[in-house]
Every structure is written in structure tokens, then in C-alpha cells.
Amino acid sequence: MYDSVRPNAFVALQLPSDTLKVLQLAPNTTVSIGKYGAFQANHILGRPYYLTFEILDKTKSANHSCLRIVPASELYADIIEEESSTSFEADNGKVIDSKDGVEYEAVGQNGQVIMRSNRETVDDPGTQIMTMVEIEALKAEGTGSGKDLISKILDSHSALDKKTAFALAKYTLRKEKKYMKRFTVLPLDVPLLSNWILTEKEPMKIMELREESVALIGSWSNVHFEPSVQIPGINDGDSKARAGRWLMVDETGGLLVAAMAEKLRLLDMTEADMGPEDSEMIHLSETQQLESGNGDLGNDASEGNSLEPTPKSNISQKPAMPIEINTITLIHANSQPNLSLLKYFHFDSSNPNPAHPLTGHLKTLSWLQLISPDDDVGYNEPETLSNEVLQSWKSGKRGNYYRKRRRWERTKYIVDETRAGGFDGLIVASVMSPVTILHHVVPLLRGAAQVVVYSPTIESLAELADYYSSARRTAFATETPDPTTLPSEDFPVDPTLLLAPTIQTARCRSWQVLPGRTHPLMTGRGGSEGYIFTATRVLPAEGKVEARGRFKRRKLDDYEGKSDVNLQHGSMDSVGEDSLGSDHN
């Protein structure tokens, strides 16, 4: 993740109303954020993230509004003032705030104010003298980025002096969210993207996958970056570097793939992956900032040296080589995988950029190619033609032939590699039944691999945990059914392949923490809780397992109301009944 805003990057603008606006910052364009105003994208390109900008009123001589960086001292002025003004005075056993002289009722042992009385406060719309017509007229004239308008609204409130400090802060904050023309630039990462879809888009597109669930999935699946290591093969002198291979079934639009790719350092492009045009744009943007300084950002960034977008045709098209380290193999149900959310990280699955680190590390195949590859058209080898025939064709037709050959070679390589197995973990987030999915993909995992299955509801995971339970595993070992008969009604899956099935959930709720008013926020969204099934892949021992050794069990008679049990293992000596009898005599 970059520290500053790059051209054509997707960013999230946090507005005063606590809503997020996700957009792509293309150079030389105007960004509109609704009622808060508009600004030039060049004004924030190359600037660090997490800065708060204020949209200034447009002057008559300017073609567009300028921006001002809001310092931290101004953003947190209320908090600093509140911490500095903590003086109180007592009057006849009651505590009075020396700032506004309002009496408090709830006071701590050390004289600290806990709660002030608001029993006489009555919410009356008539206390606001200023009408909406007057407010709209002030907005049209220019309000100093909303600060002047808020000040006039507070001054025109006839019952402002009767509000408690907490009520006054809430009232002021509500007006700032409505009229302040500010925004904060945030980097668009996976947690922010999931939160944006959950709160402002369609949560069902990502199966209501929350940030804490994504973190729990990544932790239990043990997805991490693996260095290049050489694993000895079965044959002498045969060694392969095949570490860090994960198998996924993702139906969240690519959100889970993006989260796992982020843990594998495959999500963001580095400076080395960028083209010369991108580097030149960044240099021009930084030069303009040095000339304009850190104050108001005016017209220099858009009139003088304009930033031109990168032409896509200049990107070098080099073929992606097969990679066997730190890879994600995605199984999908359709002809093409649904990875639409990866566009926010500059990756297009239909036309991947060779410079993107995810290209070559992400491998996709369909369920048909995994279960019955011979029935898939893409797995069958196209007709092989001689060079004489190819030379007689036109260049366009000959290019199509080579593209088909390359596509077949890649498809065959991915299918054969996936069917060979040896994956380090399995991650599933699908609307299909997890029982049918795990029946086909669990045998592809190596020993000690982690299995993680996400579901918005618990019913399907409870059924899955029952099929891999100890009772089901004991019954399977007793009956020992023929593996060719699986799946059956009693054993839809092989219960001996997974150990320690567990179902868990995690959800973080926002709380209001105030003296006497601590409670969860009533405005929190509902929706599905989200549950995660975890288990460990094990390799069942082949043949019959027998226990060897001398095992005897002796039970001693009760003596003086006490019952003792002694177990003798192997050749260990223990106190027997004869010795006890001799002691009694």
C-alpha cells in the first residue's frame, strides 16, 4: 500500500456525514461529492493519505473551488479545550461548572462531574429562529466552508443556553455533519472495502462478510507469504519448490481472494511494477505540490502542467509464467470466475496486467475441469497443424491458432496441477452446500492443512460438523465401507480425513461510552452473524492398527469407606491385594 495518493488509484473519501465515497482519481478530472461541493483530482494526487481537506468557497476569478489542508490542531480543538478546562467549584454541597455555571447532579467521589441534569430541557422546533429559506440563501452566498453558517445557526437558537454540555455537543456535531465541506482521503484496502459494501451497497453480494470474519478466516487458514524452498521429491534428485499453495472457493465477488492475496503480498503494485508514464505523472504531481506549498491548492495543479493518464496500449504485454510458490487456486461454478471486486486493486481477471503481482499467482478452473476434465472443451487439445499450413494462413488466423494453443496449455497445466493435490489450505465461502464441496476438495490437501468454511448461517456448518464428528468417525471405522460407495446416505464425506471440527463466530459491536450512558449503539446494522467452520486435514493410517504391551487392570476392595483403583502398565510394580492383606494382619 502506497503512502500517498497515486494517479488512477481507487480511494475512499470519508465525508462529514460518516459515509464513504469510493472513486478512482483520474488526472485532470473534477470530483463531485454531492452537496459538499466539487474539487480537482490533481489537488490531492501525490498527497499523503489520512489528510483532511476543506473545500473553500469558489471566488469569481477562479474556475473551480480550491482546497485547504485542515491541521490537526483545528480538527481536535474541542478535545484539547475540553481537557484544558477542568476547573470546578463547590457551592452548598453541589458542584457547579465554572465555565457556564450550570448545576450538576451526579458527582464522583473526587468531585468529578458525571452527569448534569437535563430534566428541564424540552425539544421544541420553534427554538430555532432561522428558517430553511434563510439557510439556503446563506449557503448560496458562501459560508466559509460551512463554518459561518453553523455559527449563525447556533446563535439563532433561543434555547441553546439550556442544553447540557453533552446535548450541545451532539447538536453542534449534527450541524457540522450537515454543512461542513470537508473530506478525508483514506486508502482503499480490504477492510474498508468490505465495510463500504456492507453499509452502503448490497451486503449479500459478499455474503455479509464482515471485517472481523475476514481476519478470522485468514488467521485459521494460516495464509502467509512463503519464501522459495526446495522440497525433496520421492525420486532421487527430484526436488520442487511448491510451498504456499492455497485452494479457494470464493463466491463473494473476489473479496476473499483479495484478502488472502493481501496476506501473500500480491495485491498492490510496487514502484518497480509501474510503467514510466506513471512514474512521470507522480513526479509532476509532487513538483506541483512543492511549488504550491501545503496551504491552499489553487489552479496551478490543473492549468500549468496537466497530468495525462497512462495510455493502456503502452503497457508491455509479456506472457505470465507458471508459478508454484505463493499461489491461489480458485474453483468457480461458471465459465468465468466472478472477481469483480479486484478492479479496486487494478486487477482485471479477463485481461490481467502482466505487471500486476497477482498475475501468474492466481489460477482459476471450473468444477467441471476439476471433477471431469475430459468433458470440458477447454481441456481438450486443439488440432496440431504443421508449419507449412500455418505459413499459408493470414497473420490474424495464425495468431488465433497460437492463442488457442497457449490458452489450452495454461488450462491443462492448472487442471493437472490442481488434481495432483498437495495444497496447504482450503478456504470456502459459497452458497452451495459445503458437504458437496468438501467431498471433492479435501482429498487434494496435504497433511496438517487447515480447512476453513464460511457461511452466513450456522445450519449448514452444524450439519458439516456432524459428518466429521467423532461418533461418525467411529461408525465409519467400525463398518469400513467401500470407498467407491462414497458418498452414501450415512457417510456423505469421509469422516477420517478431518480432525477437530469446530464452529466459531466473532463480531465487533460499537458502543457509546459515556458516564451513565454506556450501551451499544442503536444504529448498528443487523444481518447475519456469520459463522466459520475449521478443521485440520489428517492422513488416516493404512492397514490395521494394534496396541502392543502388557496392560492389566486391578481394582482394590473398599477399605474403611474408601475405594482405590490402581492401574498397572507394562512391567511397573504396584501394591497388590496380598501386601494389603499382610498389613491388615
Side-chain angles (χ1 to χ4, degrees):
M1 185 65 66
Y2 294 118
D3 296 331
S4 58
V5 182
R6 301 298 181 182
N8 300 315
F10 284 92
V11 297
L13 303 182
Q14 186 175 11
L15 304 180
S17 58
D18 292 336
T19 59
L20 295 175
K21 184 178 180 62
V22 177
L23 48 88
Q24 187 177 16
L25 290 177
N28 305 326
T29 58
T30 301
V31 179
S32 175
I33 52 177
K35 65 179 182 180
Y36 298 104
F39 62 94
Q40 295 294 313
N42 293 355
H43 291 172
I44 63 175
L45 291 178
R47 295 277 175 176
Y49 283 108
Y50 303 102
L51 285 180
T52 299
F53 296 89
E54 185 176 271
I55 302 178
L56 303 178
D57 295 334
K58 184 169 60 174
T59 59
K60 297 181 180 180
S61 58
N63 297 327
H64 51 77
S65 299
C66 302
L67 297 181
R68 182 181 72 91
I69 299 177
V70 183
S73 58
E74 182 178 346
L75 288 174
Y76 306 103
D78 297 339
I79 300 177
I80 298 174
E81 182 181 358
E82 182 181 356
E83 292 179 352
S84 60
S85 59
T86 56
S87 60
F88 300 96
E89 57 182 16
D91 183 16
N92 297 329
K94 298 180 180 180
V95 176
I96 299 177
D97 187 359
S98 61
K99 183 179 179 181
D100 52 10
V102 180
E103 183 179 314
Y104 291 82
E105 289 185 348
V107 183
Q109 297 179 358
N110 56 353
Q112 181 182 2
V113 175
I114 297 177
M115 185 185 302
R116 183 169 60 173
S117 174
N118 59 353
R119 65 181 63 181
E120 298 180 358
T121 302
V122 179
D123 292 333
D124 185 8
T127 56
Q128 179 55 254
I129 302 175
M130 186 177 296
T131 62
M132 287 301 301
V133 177
E134 296 175 350
I135 293 176
E136 293 296 332
L138 289 175
K139 289 172 60 178
E141 294 176 0
T143 59
S145 301
K147 291 180 290 186
D148 297 340
L149 177 59
I150 295 174
S151 178
K152 292 180 180 180
I153 291 176
L154 294 178
D155 294 340
S156 62
H157 199 287
S158 60
L160 195 66
D161 55 341
K162 297 180 181 180
K163 290 182 177 292
T164 63
F166 179 68
L168 178 58
K170 288 181 62 177
Y171 183 80
T172 306
L173 181 62
R174 188 163 61 247
K175 298 306 176 184
E176 289 179 352
K177 289 182 178 181
K178 188 174 182 180
Y179 298 112
M180 285 296 290
K181 299 181 180 181
R182 290 179 178 178
F183 64 91
T184 304
V185 184
L186 302 177
L188 187 62
D189 51 8
V190 175
L192 193 62
L193 179 61
S194 62
N195 182 49
W196 174 61
I197 297 176
L198 283 175
T199 55
E200 303 182 24
K201 293 298 180 179
E202 300 181 24
M204 289 307 300
K205 286 188 176 182
I206 60 173
M207 299 179 64
E208 302 188 62
L209 192 61
R210 301 187 309 276
E211 176 185 354
E212 50 269 26
S213 299
V214 174
L216 201 60
I217 292 173
S219 176
W220 276 105
S221 59
N222 195 26
V223 176
H224 60 281
F225 177 79
E226 284 279 359
S228 178
V229 294
Q230 296 294 329
I231 302 177
I234 299 178
N235 302 326
D236 295 337
D238 184 16
S239 62
K240 293 183 178 180
R242 302 183 63 176
R245 300 170 61 238
W246 277 269
L247 189 64
M248 294 187 63
V249 180
D250 182 15
E251 295 185 8
T252 63
L255 179 66
L256 208 53
V257 172
M260 300 305 110
E262 188 177 37
K263 297 176 71 68
L264 292 174
R265 308 178 188 175
L266 303 175
L267 195 59
D268 299 313
M269 298 178 63
T270 60
E271 293 283 356
D273 300 329
M274 300 177 61
E277 295 84 0
D278 293 330
S279 301
E280 184 178 355
M281 269 196 297
I282 296 171
H283 176 71
L284 286 175
S285 178
E286 293 176 349
T287 303
Q288 293 164 3
Q289 292 172 17
L290 292 176
E291 295 176 355
S292 60
N294 293 329
D296 298 348
L297 307 181
N299 303 329
D300 297 337
S302 60
E303 294 179 356
N305 298 323
S306 60
L307 305 180
E308 298 295 337
T310 305
K312 297 183 178 180
S313 59
N314 293 341
I315 300 178
S316 59
Q317 299 292 335
K318 56 182 179 181
M321 301 301 294
I323 300 175
E324 297 183 350
I325 302 176
N326 302 318
T327 60
I328 297 175
T329 302
L330 178 65
I331 306 175
H332 54 89
N334 303 318
S335 58
Q336 294 292 332
N338 181 14
L339 299 174
S340 58
L341 295 182
L342 290 181
K343 70 178 182 180
Y344 295 106
F345 306 99
H346 303 281
F347 182 82
D348 185 6
S349 59
S350 60
N351 186 22
N353 182 4
H356 199 283
L358 195 56
T359 304
H361 290 269
L362 178 61
K363 307 173 183 179
T364 61
L365 74 158
S366 63
W367 282 106
L368 180 62
Q369 294 172 342
L370 177 66
I371 299 174
S372 180
D374 295 333
D375 296 336
D376 183 71
V377 179
Y379 186 78
N380 299 327
E381 183 179 3
E383 181 182 2
T384 304
L385 302 177
S386 60
N387 293 330
E388 291 78 6
V389 176
L390 294 175
Q391 293 298 328
S392 62
W393 287 357
K394 295 183 178 180
S395 60
K397 187 176 181 180
R398 187 166 57 249
N400 292 334
Y401 170 79
Y402 286 123
R403 278 193 294 270
K404 289 181 181 179
R405 294 289 301 182
R406 288 194 298 267
R407 184 166 57 249
W408 167 78
E409 291 174 357
R410 177 177 174 80
T411 301
K412 180 175 175 57
Y413 173 82
I414 294 175
V415 172
D416 293 343
E417 181 192 39
T418 305
R419 290 172 60 88
F423 289 93
D424 296 317
L426 170 66
I427 304 172
V428 178
S430 173
V431 296
M432 296 189 297
S433 173
V435 178
T436 58
I437 294 177
L438 265 61
H439 170 69
H440 295 285
V441 296
V442 167
L444 303 178
L445 305 178
R446 64 168 179 82
Q450 296 298 316
V451 176
V452 180
V453 182
Y454 169 81
S455 175
T457 57
I458 196 175
E459 287 76 14
S460 59
L461 299 185
E463 180 185 10
L464 182 63
D466 175 67
Y467 289 143
Y468 285 103
S469 62
S470 300
R472 190 85 58 165
R473 189 163 51 251
T474 303
F476 186 86
T478 303
E479 299 180 7
T480 315
D482 188 3
T484 58
T485 61
L486 296 179
S488 61
E489 183 178 358
D490 295 332
F491 303 103
V493 292
D494 189 350
T496 62
L497 298 183
L498 292 184
L499 191 64
T502 308
I503 300 177
Q504 53 191 302
T505 183
R507 185 165 189 172
C508 299
R509 291 177 172 85
S510 301
W511 282 62
Q512 172 184 287
V513 182
L514 289 171
R517 307 184 191 92
T518 300
H519 58 78
L521 293 180
M522 299 295 103
T523 56
R525 67 174 303 273
S528 301
E529 189 73 15
Y531 297 89
I532 297 175
F533 169 89
T534 60
T536 304
R537 172 76 160 97
V538 292
L539 303 177
E542 298 180 358
K544 188 177 180 181
V545 179
E546 298 180 354
R548 302 204 176 250
R550 236 177 116 199
F551 299 93
K552 292 184 180 180
R553 184 185 183 97
R554 294 183 180 180
K555 184 176 182 181
L556 304 181
D557 296 333
D558 295 344
Y559 178 70
E560 293 182 356
K562 297 181 179 179
S563 177
D564 300 326
V565 179
N566 183 36
L567 298 178
Q568 181 178 357
H569 298 280
S571 60
M572 296 177 60
D573 296 334
S574 62
V575 179
E577 296 178 355
D578 296 339
S579 60
L580 291 176
S582 60
D583 293 341
H584 294 170
N585 297 332

